[in-house]
Amino acid sequence: MGDEADMRSQAIELRDVHRRFASGGAAVAALDGVTLALPRGTFTAVMGPSGSGKSTLLHCAAGLDRPTSGSVRLGETELTALSERRLTLLRRERVGFVFQAFNLLPSLTAAQNTALPLRLARRRVPRARVLEALREVGLADRAGHRPSQLSGGQQQRVALARALITRPEVLFADEPTGALDSRTGHQILTLLRTLVDTGSTTIVMVTHDPTAASYADRVVFLVDGRVHGELSGGSAREIAGRMAGWETKAPSKTTRLSEATPC
């Protein structure tokens, strides 16, 4: 009974997750036995040196990629057991994505870009719901503007509204402020923080920026595809201190294919 209650309290749970990629005659271990639980209604930042497996972890947790072995659960749903079709439906209905590159369609207005996930799912798109999503990110007055008529920060907020329109269980963000100036990045991060504090949204964010990570409740550090500790409520300086030196210390993640779990 206790295990079931604990399972229901987790938005995402990874158990002994490995992800290996074939590269020539070797296997690159992007994730090497990651076990991690992310509670509902929390904001988690994932950090680590270049090549540490941050984006791979996010992609496996979101059902965008399949692990070589291990378990990934979204709520009570085991993702590794789903077919590609069911994974697609799950991502469409239960998960939201925000990426560094906005990924807005230039020919569509802010309102049309926001409504796109519902249209792709062939669901009814009430205009009031679209405007509500844009209002939530402070852009209700820009509903008729195309991306070229919006600033970078405004485009990222449209991308966020698009991610929220389906009311996802978990919002995944991969370097969401990487293409923004510091002032605009602060606005986006404040908005993400507000979504967690007032709406019980669960957010998982990959970032290389200690300042961005300081907005999270918890920072999980990855080194060489493995969890290398975590920090709760840390300042940007404390987070940067934990990161110092890792870029030069990360060991090789390459093994011969004959020594590795099949990719």
Side-chain angles (χ1 to χ4, degrees):
M1 187 73 177
D3 288 344
E4 291 180 7
D6 183 64
M7 184 184 299
R8 287 193 293 269
S9 72
Q10 306 301 336
I12 296 287
E13 187 172 12
L14 297 89
R15 293 185 180 178
D16 195 26
V17 170
H18 294 255
R19 182 64 173 104
R20 293 185 174 90
F21 297 94
S23 179
V28 178
L31 297 177
D32 191 12
V34 171
T35 294
L36 187 64
L38 305 176
R40 298 183 190 277
T42 60
F43 187 172
T44 301
V46 180
M47 299 192 75
S50 178
S52 62
K54 301 185 298 296
S55 291
T56 302
L57 184 146
L58 183 144
H59 292 165
C60 287
L64 289 169
D65 190 15
R66 290 184 184 273
T68 305
S69 63
S71 168
V72 180
R73 300 184 73 92
L74 173 66
E76 298 179 40
T77 303
E78 175 60 53
L79 301 191
T80 60
L82 299 182
S83 66
E84 288 301 325
R85 179 179 175 277
R86 290 184 64 194
L87 266 179
T88 298
L89 292 174
L90 177 140
R91 290 193 300 265
R92 187 179 291 167
E93 296 173 359
R94 298 174 60 184
V95 170
F97 301 95
V98 181
F99 299 104
Q100 180 176 337
F102 312 151
N103 295 333
L104 302 180
L105 296 182
S107 62
L108 301 184
T109 65
Q112 290 167 335
N113 268 291
T114 299
L116 196 57
L118 295 179
R119 292 193 180 281
L120 290 174
R122 298 182 179 179
R123 290 163 59 183
R124 184 170 166 270
V125 187
R127 181 166 176 79
R129 184 167 170 183
V130 174
L131 292 178
E132 178 187 354
L134 287 169
R135 189 176 299 110
E136 194 170 7
V137 299
L139 285 180
D141 60 339
R142 297 289 191 272
H145 290 61
R146 289 182 169 79
S148 62
Q149 299 171 302
L150 301 171
S151 69
Q154 289 172 331
Q155 290 183 60
Q156 188 61 292
R157 281 190 276 166
V158 173
L160 185 53
R162 181 183 58 194
L164 295 172
I165 191 73
T166 58
R167 296 168 183 160
E169 293 177 33
V170 183
L171 178 65
F172 292 94
D174 195 352
E175 300 282 4
T177 61
L180 305 176
D181 60 73
S182 58
R183 179 176 176 274
T184 306
H186 166 73
Q187 293 173 348
I188 295 297
L189 291 163
T190 298
L191 181 55
L192 293 176
R193 181 71 258 174
T194 301
L195 289 171
V196 174
D197 292 340
T198 64
S200 298
T201 302
T202 302
I203 295 178
V204 184
M205 176 181 70
V206 164
T207 182
H208 69 281
D209 181 4
T211 298
S214 69
Y215 285 76
D217 303 305
R218 170 192 186 197
V219 183
V220 174
F221 300 100
L222 285 186
V223 178
D224 199 37
R226 303 184 186 109
V227 174
H228 199 74
E230 61 179 73
L231 186 64
S232 298
S235 67
R237 178 173 294 183
E238 290 172 316
I239 295 166
R242 290 286 291 269
M243 292 285 294
W246 287 356
E247 289 285 356
T248 59
K249 293 179 182 177
S252 170
K253 298 188 287 184
T254 302
T255 59
R256 292 189 301 276
L257 279 174
S258 59
E259 300 173 346
T261 302
C263 298

